[in-house]
Amino acid sequence: EVQLVESGGGLVKPGGSLRISCSASGLTFSRYTMNWVRQAPGKGLEWVASISSLSRYIYYTDPVKGRFTISRDNAKNSAYLQMNSLRAEDTAMYYCASRRDGYNYFDFWGQGTLVTVS
Amino acid sequence: QSALTQPASVSGSPGQSITISCTGTNSDVGGYNFVSWYQEYPGKAPKLMIYDVSNRPSGVSNRFSGSKSGNTASLTISGLQAEDEADYYCSSYTSSTTLYVFGSGTKVTVL
């Protein structure tokens, strides 16, 4: 059974930093592009960032460029999102989602970790 | 504002069929066959229901089907059941700098 487990969320002040993690099991992690998708309270889903299986390709949504950094450690089956210069509008549930390299859908999702900027 | 437009809510009686639309542009829905649909229960992680416009992952009921015409994709739920009551989001690959866009979400209510 595939499991993606996020951790590291919490309350942070505007301008602060936070690093959230995603630990994966039950899948060949090194074959998957890992993504972060967020959902602000009462709002829809928003793709945030993705990193390909060997970290060769990295992409971000425009609102977080220059502030967020996605990374991964295939030896630890983990992905990370370093968030700096946080703003109130970054408040959201952050989901880790997997996507097989070369495919364009998110097949597995974690339960999410809540980030509150206030 | 979400990039893809979905109706805020759709409802139907048990056994009926409902269709949720997802309208984008030539740069996303209309330009690629990479539309996917996700089901989300309150407080739960989203679940993939349809990928690449009309394909169902293993384990997803065949009551769920997807299609696309021009810049609009659709998710149809046939034989509506109480357990189908959830939020549904469409997503598409996009040629813009944002790799993927989501719809605003549709709340499905089973009457």
Side-chain angles (χ1 to χ4, degrees):
Chain A
E1 179 193 8
V2 174
Q3 280 197 315
L4 301 178
V5 180
E6 302 91 338
S7 61
L11 176 64
V12 61
K13 296 184 186 303
S17 298
L18 202 62
R19 186 198 198 207
I20 57 177
S21 303
C22 170
S23 178
S25 62
L27 76 170
T28 306
F29 187 74
S30 59
R31 294 181 182 176
Y32 281 80
T33 290
M34 298 306 295
N35 305 262
W36 289 96
V37 177
R38 67 185 178 183
Q39 186 171 34
K43 302 296 184 183
L45 299 169
E46 179 187 24
W47 171 81
V48 175
S50 73
I51 182 168
S52 62
S53 58
L54 299 180
S55 304
R56 182 176 180 182
Y57 302 104
I58 293 176
Y59 301 95
Y60 301 95
T61 188
D62 286 344
V64 310
K65 282 180 181 176
R67 300 189 298 122
F68 289 13
T69 301
I70 189 172
S71 62
R72 65 188 294 158
D73 185 337
N74 286 351
K76 294 183 178 179
N77 283 0
S78 294
Y80 310 96
L81 188 67
Q82 175 68 43
M83 301 180 290
N84 299 329
S85 303
L86 281 161
R87 306 166 181 167
E89 54 264 37
D90 295 319
T91 294
M93 182 71 77
Y94 284 74
Y95 293 103
C96 173
S98 64
R99 177 168 61 84
R100 281 189 292 169
D101 277 357
Y103 291 78
N104 294 288
Y105 53 88
F106 308 99
D107 44 9
F108 302 109
W109 297 66
Q111 295 287 335
T113 187
L114 182 62
V115 173
T116 303
V117 184
S118 178
Chain B
Q1 188 171 357
S2 298
L4 305 179
T5 301
Q6 295 181 235
S9 63
V10 173
S11 62
S13 300
Q16 285 186 328
S17 292
I18 61 169
T19 297
I20 303 169
S21 61
C22 170
T23 302
T25 69
N26 289 334
S27 297
D28 38 65
V29 174
Y32 307 92
N33 288 324
F34 296 139
V35 176
S36 51
W37 290 89
Y38 303 87
Q39 176 190 63
E40 185 183 42
Y41 293 112
K44 301 294 186 181
K47 175 186 175 184
L48 176 67
M49 304 301 285
I50 295 288
Y51 66 93
D52 294 350
V53 176
S54 59
N55 295 289
R56 269 189 317 275
S58 173
V60 171
S61 171
N62 60 10
R63 297 185 299 104
F64 291 84
S65 61
S67 62
K68 190 186 85 167
S69 177
N71 294 339
T72 298
S74 299
L75 174 71
T76 298
I77 309 175
S78 57
L80 199 62
Q81 299 180 0
E83 66 200 47
D84 300 331
E85 190 162 289
D87 293 326
Y88 292 83
Y89 292 89
C90 61
S91 177
S92 175
Y93 173 82
T94 173
S95 59
S96 76
T97 54
T98 299
L99 272 192
Y100 296 95
V101 289
F102 284 90
S104 46
T106 298
K107 181 175 181 58
V108 168
T109 301
V110 181
L111 301 172

